[in-house]
Amino acid sequence: GMEAMRQVVKAVGLENDPEYVTVVVNYRSPRFDHWESVWKGSVEGTGKTYKEFMCHTRQYHEKLELISTALNPLQIATESQKEGWHVAIMDMAGGGWGNVGV
């Protein structure tokens, strides 16, 4: 999330120079396909059902952050702009237009 991004910016010495930071947000549509991919990637090899993935209470906060980040990538774009960083949004589905790969 945002805290991890702030730590990276600080680690590379740009916390006082936000104009040199660009955040690239990958936007995938349709949104359901994206969420299905997140779910399958998270449970790969575990045999967990969707219900088990969503309802595991010990990981509530991690799941909430995953949902808010994966399903609302524009929130990260907005928060990044508030930090003074540049934002570029890449539409992952756009690679299918005109036979252009992403």
Side-chain angles (χ1 to χ4, degrees):
M2 288 302 297
E3 187 54 37
M5 291 169 46
R6 286 186 199 99
Q7 290 175 8
V8 169
V9 169
K10 185 176 181 178
V12 297
L14 293 175
E15 69 270 21
N16 295 320
D17 297 309
E19 68 274 9
Y20 294 112
V21 177
T22 299
V23 175
V24 179
V25 177
N26 295 322
Y27 186 88
R28 183 172 170 186
S29 59
R31 305 304 302 142
F32 177 79
D33 289 350
H34 186 196
W35 182 244
E36 182 181 30
S37 176
V38 168
W39 163 53
K40 287 182 178 180
S42 296
V43 300
E44 188 173 0
T46 67
K48 286 186 180 180
T49 65
Y50 183 73
K51 180 179 178 181
E52 292 167 330
F53 167 68
M54 288 301 298
C55 298
H56 194 274
T57 57
R58 288 182 291 176
Q59 297 175 336
Y60 172 78
H61 294 290
E62 292 88 353
K63 206 71 73 196
L64 190 58
E65 184 171 343
L66 176 66
I67 290 169
S68 67
T69 303
L71 293 182
N72 190 5
L74 299 182
Q75 177 183 0
I76 229 155
T78 301
E79 294 300 317
S80 297
Q81 285 184 323
K82 288 178 184 177
E83 295 285 334
W85 304 334
H86 298 279
V87 175
I89 299 175
M90 182 185 307
D91 182 356
M92 301 301 285
W97 302 329
N99 296 322
V100 177
V102 176

